[in-house]
Amino acid sequence: MALSKTPYRGTRDFFPTEMRLRNYIFKKMAEVSELFAYEPYDGPLLEEVELYLAKSGEELINDQIYSFTDRGDRHVAIRPEMTPTVARMVAQIHREVAKPLRWYSIPNLMRYEKPQKGRLREFWQYNADIFGAGQYGEVEIIQMAVKLIQSFGATHEHFEVLINDRRFVDLVFTKLIGLEENLTKKLYKLVDKKNKMDPAKFSNEVKAITSDESKALIFEEFVSLISTGDITKFVTKYSADSLAEVAPLISLFEKFTEQGLAEYVKFDPSIVRGLDYYTGVVFEIFDKHPENRRAIAGGGSYANLLQIFNEPALEGVGIGLGEVPLKEFLHSHNLSPDFSKPELDYLVAYLVPEGEKPAMSLAQSLRESGHKVELYFGEAKPKKIFSYSEKKNFASVCFFGEEELKNDEVKVKDLKRRTEQTIKVKEFIEGKR
Amino acid sequence: MALSKTPYRGTRDFFPTEMRLRNYIFKKMAEVSELFAYEPYDGPLLEEVELYLAKSGEELINDQIYSFTDRGDRHVAIRPEMTPTVARMVAQIHREVAKPLRWYSIPNLMRYEKPQKGRLREFWQYNADIFGAGQYGEVEIIQMAVKLIQSFGATHEHFEVLINDRRFVDLVFTKLIGLEENLTKKLYKLVDKKNKMDPAKFSNEVKAITSDESKALIFEEFVSLISTGDITKFVTKYSADSLAEVAPLISLFEKFTEQGLAEYVKFDPSIVRGLDYYTGVVFEIFDKHPENRRAIAGGGSYANLLQIFNEPALEGVGIGLGEVPLKEFLHSHNLSPDFSKPELDYLVAYLVPEGEKPAMSLAQSLRESGHKVELYFGEAKPKKIFSYSEKKNFASVCFFGEEELKNDEVKVKDLKRRTEQTIKVKEFIEGKR
């Protein structure tokens, strides 16, 4: 029986068209990161499962991780996210290096998911983290993310950064509503799912957790807050002496305004980020397109990532941006360039067998000067050469006929301008074209 | 207990220094491939094990593959090589596209090996293949490989391409020595290990297989051939009417001479490539350094890769070049640039709190014009700023003191030339520097 030609479920074959798009996206990620002085890193494809048990959310470990036992009896997993790896790496060197530490990476990750729009089993994720920078780090990471998405031609009409602060949420849940730890966790999970739930059902589940009409009302008021002004009023109303605890969130928004980012950022109390390790500001970047309302990226601040390695605390801020939802975003706003054809400079061909050697030499010389050149193999009729060159998007075709060979010349046809010239090979190579 | 900070055995953490080297190498691979009009592609990290059973050598499947059963009961493997994937992809589209098809990729692969110098469990491998081009493809792939290694500053003093032809080997083993198929296979395996074996032991095992003194002598003569002239004499001596079968190998070397590659290529009868799928020319690129005599790359021609998908034959030529042996090669010849520090343009700092906003704005503007800029967080004394900037290799430091702020100016210190100027911020941004 013949083998299947399709890739494994939830993974992709990147043919040149898709690969050029991927390269274009990855190049922007690297370029923007380097403008902000972030340095590249990468870690192993496999990590011991223990690392994820210590750091990742339960769902990721129980349902989504690709884990197995290797031939040496180690229990390993294909990385489902990059944060545990970056924490492990930073734990090795953070005592010796100048801080802040700014790192970025674009790893391939795998999760066992039901493949659907914007979600696959194998995907790449841009990760950037800054360690040892406090609130400056939060400003910078979000500023850089905005700049990255702008670099694809998008503006505040296309996307927005929704921001919240876990310290504020904790204040509301534990002090203002007075929930115990296990109920706080339940409420976190519920809020995380808010936008995917029926409002009536959401409301009922909130009441079941708070089990008190007046507390449910405080919660309702909290999830309706839409600006930092609202936050101040809300906290003043219920616990004026807690204002200091929301000061970082308020000042963060002031910094964004100073940096001209006011049109991009928005307070949103429903952003809590399910994962356990965030301890401060959390955010998600959303597509504004009504038919593609989904998160492109998410991140936040964490204080205790190095603890599991017995290292002293080092605060960090990180962002993860998936290439799959990013492509959906670019697609939904028509921002994806056409990569269906390669960009090639010259097709070098010959009409008679004696042209082979000079054609090969010319191709070599043109490559030496940085041109993308294909050598047409074997002598061929002009008609065949031109029909081939059009399929492949060459800027020009050079060819050697009997006449040209006699005079050490080459005929060059510019396919864009539809012009043609016959020129001495030596002059052509020297750039007189 | 604290978790381990070391990566999984046989894999690596790429800290920025190592990552910059990796990026440098990958960039050359992509650039040289594109000069030859090769198009980028990639495939999935996981493939169904069946694909490798059909195509890869036994050793790879039995001892070295990372395979497991997924949650949906599919038997999958982390890719140990790229050729089966590229064959699967080409099988999907080869009927519709203009040929030759030129593709390259730089995938991460995994093999369960005992980690040692030049060999790890996770590694990246440059792969380039040309489909539908016959001997022209062989010339081009080897020419491109030479150009790639040259692009790192290496010459024929540092490396060589050792070439053989499986059709010639088959001729010698089956026709000249007269071995049956199973003995031919045994002899192939033995020749593959020749350079790692004690000569006497090798000789004995050859005799055991050929079981005939005169046949063993033919074999001895074969493995001593060192030029294409020798080949012609050798074949003429034992089977003059078989000369046509070595004509492709002879003409391949003529083409290399025409292309100025004579100093790089060498006939070597001991190169046979263990893997099953090669059917024509085979080659390996060797480091010439006496202390690092190992293969950096290998490849060859194959005729039947699409068969397992029930597709008509499409001849191809491929090369695989591992980043681990390439780095050993660059290292052995001192060709590896120093990537220990990042290359950064500006550190922007401020001496007083009021400098924060203009410093942030200046950093933004400098990034707009493509500069790599770090913002120094928080006001600081000049001494602290300069000691920091030296650790991180900035070209210049810009800073705002009280005096500069008053006059809308910024002080810029060029750290390479050791010069300093105070300039209007606006003029500085406009590039008058």
Side-chain angles (χ1 to χ4, degrees):
Chain A
M1 208 192 72
L3 284 178
S4 163
K5 287 182 245 174
T6 55
Y8 170 64
R9 192 168 150 79
T11 71
R12 288 161 291 172
D13 288 332
F14 291 85
F15 289 94
T17 298
E18 293 90 44
M19 195 63 191
R20 281 187 283 264
L21 174 59
R22 192 176 111 184
N23 285 345
Y24 163 76
I25 289 173
F26 288 5
K27 198 175 165 207
K28 295 273 187 205
M29 290 169 173
E31 277 172 1
V32 171
S33 303
E34 308 241 339
L35 288 180
F36 283 79
Y38 281 62
E39 299 185 65
Y41 76 96
D42 194 7
L45 182 66
L46 298 184
E47 293 274 6
E48 306 213 14
V49 170
E50 269 195 331
L51 179 65
Y52 300 112
L53 288 175
K55 214 61 257 181
S56 300
E58 276 169 39
E59 195 193 358
L60 206 55
I61 298 298
N62 295 337
D63 306 333
Q64 298 185 350
I65 207 166
Y66 275 89
S67 64
F68 60 95
T69 304
D70 81 359
R71 289 164 199 252
D73 242 3
R74 284 180 198 232
H75 196 202
V76 292
I78 301 178
R79 55 187 176 197
E81 57 163 334
M82 201 60 176
T83 309
T85 298
V86 76
R88 187 177 57 65
M89 289 175 65
V90 169
Q92 289 172 54
I93 51 100
H94 74 110
R95 288 161 190 267
E96 296 123 49
V97 295
K99 267 165 283 276
L101 204 63
R102 290 173 171 89
W103 280 8
Y104 77 95
S105 190
I106 316 170
N108 51 342
L109 309 176
M110 287 205 79
R111 294 183 193 174
Y112 193 79
E113 309 223 42
K114 200 177 147 74
Q116 54 189 285
K117 193 184 172 192
R119 187 171 292 186
L120 291 165
R121 288 185 179 172
E122 184 187 25
F123 58 97
W124 278 253
Q125 190 184 61
Y126 169 74
N127 278 261
D129 289 89
I130 179 165
F131 293 91
Q135 190 175 59
Y136 288 108
E138 293 166 352
V139 177
E140 186 171 276
I141 285 280
I142 290 173
Q143 190 184 19
M144 183 163 73
V146 169
K147 180 100 180 172
L148 172 58
I149 302 177
Q150 284 175 332
S151 77
F152 296 104
T155 70
H156 61 90
E157 287 173 18
H158 306 109
F159 71 99
E160 60 189 351
V161 189
L162 305 180
I163 300 172
N164 198 0
D165 189 327
R166 299 265 283 222
R167 289 163 297 190
F168 176 40
V169 182
D170 282 337
L171 169 70
V172 176
F173 288 7
T174 59
K175 205 158 166 187
L176 274 48
I177 306 187
L179 293 179
E180 284 176 13
E181 203 185 329
N182 64 329
L183 291 177
T184 301
K185 276 196 180 163
K186 274 194 185 166
L187 200 52
Y188 257 107
K189 277 193 186 160
L190 191 63
V191 173
D192 207 28
K193 285 185 283 185
K194 178 172 178 283
N195 296 324
K196 289 170 195 158
M197 281 175 82
D198 170 70
K201 196 180 172 215
F202 179 75
S203 222
N204 283 337
E205 293 201 15
V206 168
K207 275 173 201 152
I209 291 172
T210 57
S211 64
D212 177 315
E213 193 66 28
S214 70
K215 285 176 178 177
L217 280 173
I218 300 180
F219 179 81
E220 292 282 332
E221 202 175 327
F222 164 69
V223 291
S224 315
L225 301 173
I226 54 167
S227 75
T228 51
D230 286 350
I231 297 172
T232 308
K233 275 183 229 155
F234 172 75
V235 175
T236 308
K237 180 171 160 191
Y238 291 104
S239 170
D241 58 340
S242 301
L243 272 174
E245 292 174 48
V246 291
L249 184 57
I250 312 275
S251 99
L252 183 66
F253 275 88
E254 284 166 6
K255 290 236 162 85
F256 286 132
T257 304
E258 272 177 31
Q259 293 305 305
L261 292 175
E263 284 168 308
Y264 287 91
V265 295
K266 206 172 123 182
F267 170 69
D268 187 328
S270 75
I271 300 298
V272 294
R273 307 287 295 152
L275 290 167
D276 291 337
Y277 49 72
Y278 294 110
T279 51
V281 163
V282 284
F283 65 90
E284 290 186 4
I285 302 182
F286 263 76
D287 189 342
K288 279 180 159 180
H289 198 291
E291 279 160 34
N292 194 45
R293 281 295 294 169
R294 64 176 75 223
I296 310 162
S301 298
Y302 41 80
N304 304 315
L305 267 186
L306 304 191
Q307 215 175 19
I308 52 173
F309 306 102
N310 257 0
E311 291 288 326
L314 175 64
E315 54 184 354
V317 190
I319 182 175
L321 181 150
E323 97 341 299
V324 181
L326 178 66
K327 277 177 200 157
E328 295 287 346
F329 167 76
L330 297 179
H331 187 73
S332 77
H333 299 286
N334 232 336
L335 293 170
S336 203
D338 176 15
F339 288 111
S340 58
K341 287 184 177 186
E343 287 199 8
L344 297 168
D345 298 315
Y346 294 103
L347 178 68
V348 178
Y350 45 101
L351 313 182
V352 289
E354 303 73 47
E356 182 175 306
K357 203 182 150 182
M360 281 196 174
S361 298
L362 177 60
Q364 279 284 63
S365 301
L366 291 171
R367 286 175 191 137
E368 292 296 337
S369 52
H371 295 95
K372 297 176 183 176
V373 181
E374 178 174 332
L375 179 69
Y376 191 96
F377 293 147
E379 68 274 16
K381 295 252 153 61
K383 208 179 147 184
K384 212 173 150 195
I385 294 168
F386 288 115
S387 102
Y388 179 82
S389 72
E390 287 192 359
K391 278 187 206 150
K392 280 219 169 162
N393 207 29
F394 288 94
S396 304
V397 182
C398 311
F399 58 91
F400 293 92
E402 250 174 83
E403 212 43 45
E404 290 82 15
L405 287 171
K406 240 183 273 168
N407 306 317
D408 293 322
E409 291 175 338
V410 59
K411 192 171 273 182
V412 184
K413 201 158 181 166
D414 185 318
L415 298 175
K416 307 271 141 98
R417 294 192 209 124
R418 304 260 154 209
T419 58
E420 189 180 288
Q421 60 168 329
T422 302
I423 178 172
K424 292 280 178 205
V425 174
K426 196 165 167 282
E427 286 180 16
F428 183 59
I429 291 170
E430 283 166 357
K432 288 173 188 141
R433 52 180 184 271
Chain B
M1 208 191 73
L3 286 177
S4 162
K5 287 183 246 174
T6 53
Y8 169 66
R9 192 169 148 82
T11 71
R12 287 161 291 172
D13 289 331
F14 290 86
F15 289 94
T17 298
E18 293 91 45
M19 195 62 192
R20 280 187 283 265
L21 173 60
R22 191 176 112 183
N23 285 344
Y24 163 78
I25 289 172
F26 288 6
K27 199 176 164 205
K28 295 273 187 204
M29 290 170 172
E31 277 172 2
V32 171
S33 302
E34 308 242 338
L35 289 179
F36 283 78
Y38 282 63
E39 299 185 65
Y41 76 95
D42 194 8
L45 182 67
L46 298 184
E47 294 273 5
E48 306 211 16
V49 170
E50 270 195 330
L51 179 65
Y52 300 113
L53 288 175
K55 213 62 258 181
S56 301
E58 278 169 39
E59 193 193 1
L60 206 53
I61 297 298
N62 295 337
D63 306 332
Q64 298 184 348
I65 208 166
Y66 275 89
S67 64
F68 60 96
T69 305
D70 81 359
R71 288 164 200 253
D73 243 3
R74 283 178 199 234
H75 196 201
V76 292
I78 301 176
R79 54 187 176 197
E81 58 162 334
M82 201 57 176
T83 309
T85 298
V86 77
R88 188 178 56 66
M89 288 174 65
V90 169
Q92 288 172 56
I93 51 100
H94 73 111
R95 289 163 189 267
E96 296 122 47
V97 295
K99 270 168 281 286
L101 203 64
R102 291 172 171 90
W103 281 8
Y104 78 94
S105 190
I106 316 170
N108 51 343
L109 309 176
M110 286 204 79
R111 293 182 193 175
Y112 193 79
E113 308 223 43
K114 201 177 148 74
Q116 54 190 284
K117 194 184 173 193
R119 187 171 291 188
L120 291 165
R121 289 185 178 174
E122 183 187 25
F123 58 97
W124 277 254
Q125 191 185 59
Y126 170 75
N127 278 260
D129 290 89
I130 180 165
F131 294 90
Q135 189 174 62
Y136 288 108
E138 293 165 352
V139 177
E140 186 170 277
I141 284 280
I142 289 172
Q143 191 184 17
M144 183 162 74
V146 169
K147 179 100 180 168
L148 172 59
I149 302 177
Q150 284 176 332
S151 77
F152 297 102
T155 70
H156 61 91
E157 287 173 19
H158 306 110
F159 70 99
E160 61 188 350
V161 189
L162 306 180
I163 300 173
N164 197 1
D165 189 329
R166 298 264 282 223
R167 290 162 296 190
F168 175 42
V169 182
D170 281 337
L171 168 71
V172 176
F173 289 6
T174 60
K175 203 159 168 186
L176 273 48
I177 306 187
L179 293 180
E180 286 177 10
E181 203 184 329
N182 64 329
L183 291 178
T184 301
K185 276 196 180 163
K186 272 195 187 167
L187 199 53
Y188 258 108
K189 278 193 188 162
L190 190 63
V191 173
D192 208 27
K193 286 185 282 185
K194 178 174 179 281
N195 295 324
K196 290 170 194 158
M197 280 175 83
D198 170 72
K201 196 181 174 217
F202 178 76
S203 221
N204 283 337
E205 295 202 15
V206 168
K207 275 172 202 152
I209 291 172
T210 56
S211 64
D212 178 315
E213 193 69 27
S214 71
K215 286 176 178 178
L217 279 174
I218 300 180
F219 180 81
E220 292 281 332
E221 201 173 329
F222 163 69
V223 291
S224 316
L225 301 172
I226 55 165
S227 75
T228 50
D230 285 350
I231 296 171
T232 309
K233 273 182 230 155
F234 172 76
V235 175
T236 310
K237 178 170 161 192
Y238 292 104
S239 171
D241 58 343
S242 301
L243 271 175
E245 293 175 49
V246 291
L249 184 58
I250 311 273
S251 98
L252 183 68
F253 275 89
E254 283 165 8
K255 291 237 161 85
F256 286 133
T257 303
E258 272 178 30
Q259 294 305 306
L261 292 174
E263 284 169 309
Y264 288 91
V265 295
K266 205 171 124 185
F267 169 70
D268 187 328
S270 75
I271 300 297
V272 293
R273 308 285 297 152
L275 290 166
D276 291 337
Y277 48 72
Y278 294 110
T279 50
V281 162
V282 283
F283 65 90
E284 291 186 3
I285 302 181
F286 263 77
D287 189 342
K288 278 181 158 177
H289 196 291
E291 278 160 35
N292 193 45
R293 280 297 292 170
R294 63 176 75 221
I296 310 164
S301 298
Y302 41 81
N304 304 317
L305 266 187
L306 304 191
Q307 216 176 17
I308 52 173
F309 306 101
N310 256 0
E311 293 288 327
L314 175 65
E315 55 184 354
V317 190
I319 181 175
L321 181 150
E323 94 345 297
V324 180
L326 178 65
K327 278 178 200 158
E328 294 286 346
F329 167 74
L330 296 180
H331 185 73
S332 78
H333 298 287
N334 230 337
L335 292 170
S336 202
D338 177 16
F339 288 111
S340 60
K341 287 183 176 186
E343 288 201 5
L344 298 167
D345 298 315
Y346 295 104
L347 179 67
V348 179
Y350 45 102
L351 313 182
V352 290
E354 303 73 48
E356 181 175 305
K357 204 181 150 182
M360 281 194 174
S361 299
L362 176 61
Q364 279 282 66
S365 301
L366 291 171
R367 286 175 190 137
E368 292 296 336
S369 51
H371 295 95
K372 297 178 184 172
V373 181
E374 178 175 333
L375 179 69
Y376 190 96
F377 294 147
E379 68 274 15
K381 296 252 152 62
K383 207 179 147 185
K384 212 173 151 194
I385 295 167
F386 288 115
S387 103
Y388 180 81
S389 71
E390 288 193 357
K391 277 186 206 152
K392 278 216 166 163
N393 207 28
F394 288 93
S396 303
V397 182
C398 311
F399 57 92
F400 294 91
E402 250 173 81
E403 214 41 48
E404 290 82 15
L405 288 171
K406 241 184 271 169
N407 306 318
D408 292 322
E409 290 176 340
V410 59
K411 191 170 274 180
V412 184
K413 201 157 181 167
D414 185 317
L415 298 175
K416 307 270 142 99
R417 292 189 210 128
R418 302 265 154 205
T419 58
E420 187 181 290
Q421 61 168 331
T422 302
I423 179 172
K424 292 280 177 203
V425 175
K426 196 167 167 282
E427 285 181 17
F428 183 59
I429 291 169
E430 283 166 358
K432 288 173 187 140
R433 54 181 182 270

